Amino acid sequence: MSAASRAPLRSNRSNRTAERTADARARARVRSRAARAAVGAAAAALLVSACSSGGTSGGGGQTGFITGSDGIATAKKGERADAPELSGETVDGGQVDVADYKGKVVVLNVWGSWCPPCRAEAKNFEKVYQDVKDQGVQFVGINTRDTSTGPARAFEKDYGVTYPSLYDPAGRLMLRFEKGTLNPQAVPSTLVIDREGKVAARTLQALSEEKLRKMLAPYLADDGKPEK
């Protein structure tokens, strides 16, 4: 075969190779766009779960709680789960064990310095805390997903937060809550633990001062005794 006759064959093979390469690159671009879209959708879903205003759905199954139209879920006495063991080092280097506050109403707030809704609600929490701390109420934060305590300490200073916060960068404390109960599932989350150490209420949204007071009010006069 002459050089002249071999040249078109080489050209055809080169064209086919180039076409296959172009097709592979096109498929890779499609997969990449799909992956980015999936990540974006997941992030959007998480944002909605953290910032939505709640609905009128019940707890479902054996959960024993009801979520109101204000986004606050509550459980009746006798149907409340025990709060798990929540203790450890605080953002400022101290130690806290929530069990030491049994007999008090505990407001537990999950937050992160990186979280805009947490920044929005921080001053509301401090104001309400100052108003109710002499009524047998203790506020405790759980700081999560801050890779060091520096940003968390700066957050507390900026917003004048005086109650302690457990430092939980990996979210291990949140995982101690039993599934199917009033457990924290977003940042921010706020739970009310009654005087018997049981989880009585939860919300998965940032709270205004008014809504925080409304959430806490039913438990201020609660003596912890079972309903008759």
Side-chain angles (χ1 to χ4, degrees):
M1 182 180 290
S2 67
S5 63
R6 287 196 298 271
L9 294 176
R10 288 195 297 270
S11 177
N12 289 339
R13 285 196 296 270
S14 297
N15 289 340
R16 286 195 296 271
T17 300
E19 288 171 358
R20 286 195 295 270
T21 301
D23 288 343
R25 288 174 178 171
R27 287 193 296 272
R29 286 194 295 270
V30 170
R31 288 194 296 270
S32 178
R33 285 195 294 268
R36 287 195 298 270
V39 170
L46 178 60
L47 182 61
V48 169
S49 73
C51 303
S52 64
S53 60
T56 57
S57 61
Q62 301 299 315
T63 54
F65 62 85
I66 297 174
T67 304
S69 59
D70 56 4
I72 297 173
T74 58
K76 295 180 180 180
K77 286 184 178 181
E79 298 179 354
R80 298 171 185 171
D82 291 328
E85 190 272 325
L86 300 168
S87 64
E89 187 173 351
T90 61
V91 164
D92 60 4
Q95 292 286 325
V96 159
D97 187 341
V98 172
D100 291 342
Y101 300 125
K102 191 171 182 179
K104 291 187 175 184
V105 176
V106 176
V107 177
L108 193 69
N109 178 244
V110 181
W111 63 277
S113 67
W114 45 269
C115 163
C118 301
R119 294 195 289 269
E121 70 178 4
K123 288 187 176 180
N124 302 328
F125 274 72
E126 178 62 26
K127 187 174 190 308
V128 175
Y129 172 60
Q130 292 299 329
D131 289 346
V132 301
K133 64 181 182 179
D134 293 331
Q135 300 178 46
V137 180
Q138 177 64 49
F139 280 35
V140 177
I142 296 181
N143 171 257
T144 190
R145 290 170 56 188
D146 275 313
T147 56
S148 70
T149 58
R153 289 197 304 270
F155 178 101
E156 291 185 333
K157 181 179 179 181
D158 289 345
Y159 294 100
V161 176
T162 60
Y163 53 85
S165 284
L166 291 160
Y167 181 54
D168 184 32
R172 291 188 177 93
L173 295 178
M174 295 172 67
L175 295 176
R176 292 182 180 178
F177 287 82
E178 185 180 350
K179 291 183 179 179
T181 66
L182 292 173
N183 55 337
Q185 297 176 356
V187 182
S189 290
T190 300
L191 284 70
V192 176
I193 301 173
D194 68 19
R195 299 184 192 277
E196 289 296 301
K198 297 179 182 295
V199 184
R202 178 197 68 187
T203 189
L204 306 176
Q205 59 184 318
L207 292 174
S208 64
E209 180 186 338
E210 178 183 8
K211 188 167 284 189
L212 176 56
R213 291 184 187 277
K214 177 183 177 182
M215 183 179 183
L216 180 59
Y219 310 101
L220 292 180
D222 190 346
D223 60 9
K225 295 178 181 179
E227 291 178 332
K228 295 181 180 179

